[in-house]
Amino acid sequence: MTPCWQQVPATTSKTEAAMIATALDRIPMPPVARLLGWRVADARPQDGWIRIVFEEDFCNPAGFIQGGMLSSMLDDTMGPAVFIMTEGRLFTTTITMTVNFLAPAKPGPITGEATVTQLGKTIAFVEGRLTAADGTLLATASSSIRLVEAARALR
């Protein structure tokens, strides 16, 4: 199977770039990730940490990215953090997610970062954050996530 997840090189210097290999490379990119302009920028699977870059511009009438889209970005950052940490063995379904909107999000690249704070047998706890290209913290989230065997969850 050809990987469908887009990855951005993690730049180690101005002239050198490396690709991040994760369990995400083994599954097709879902439509929601394509809609959000999702791509891996960096990852440390052993730490349960991932950085995702989003490129979408679903704005509200005021010209800012709609809050539901920001919530989707956070959800689509936190779940993959668990997936890569478990080397693709566990898929996630969100039980609860608390989002704090801190600043209006303008169209342009938005970076999501997530860290698995606790990985249990059936539940994981994950924290996420979104930042604008200028470093402005846009939103934070915490989530409790049900763990499901990926072999049973993925079609």
Side-chain angles (χ1 to χ4, degrees):
M1 171 188 307
T2 303
C4 294
W5 294 89
Q6 292 179 314
Q7 293 192 349
V8 178
T11 304
T12 53
S13 73
K14 289 186 178 189
T15 58
E16 180 183 338
M19 293 303 286
I20 302 97
T22 70
L24 294 166
D25 298 331
R26 298 190 302 262
I27 62 173
M29 181 184 277
V32 69
R34 281 193 302 276
L35 177 72
L36 294 172
W38 190 107
R39 61 187 191 271
V40 174
D42 199 0
R44 292 191 306 269
Q46 70 280 6
D47 297 330
W49 177 86
I50 195 165
R51 180 180 296 135
I52 307 293
V53 175
F54 298 93
E55 288 278 355
E56 68 92 359
D57 59 0
F58 292 99
C59 295
N60 62 25
F64 297 109
I65 296 177
Q66 197 268 343
M69 299 307 289
L70 296 172
S71 296
S72 294
M73 289 179 200
L74 286 160
D75 196 39
D76 217 13
T77 302
M78 292 187 290
V82 174
F83 190 77
I84 66 163
M85 184 180 202
T86 64
E87 298 178 352
R89 291 186 321 271
L90 297 174
F91 186 74
T92 60
T93 58
T94 303
I95 299 169
T96 63
M97 183 170 74
T98 301
V99 179
N100 302 295
F101 300 103
L102 305 173
K106 298 174 186 171
I110 293 178
T111 301
E113 291 185 30
T115 304
V116 178
T117 57
Q118 185 171 7
L119 182 67
K121 291 182 181 181
T122 59
I123 304 288
F125 298 92
V126 186
E127 294 177 350
R129 59 189 285 136
L130 296 176
T131 55
D134 68 0
T136 301
L137 183 60
L138 302 171
T140 61
S142 60
S143 187
S144 55
I145 297 172
R146 182 171 179 253
L147 303 173
V148 180
E149 290 179 36
R152 291 180 42 212
L154 301 175
R155 301 178 208 183

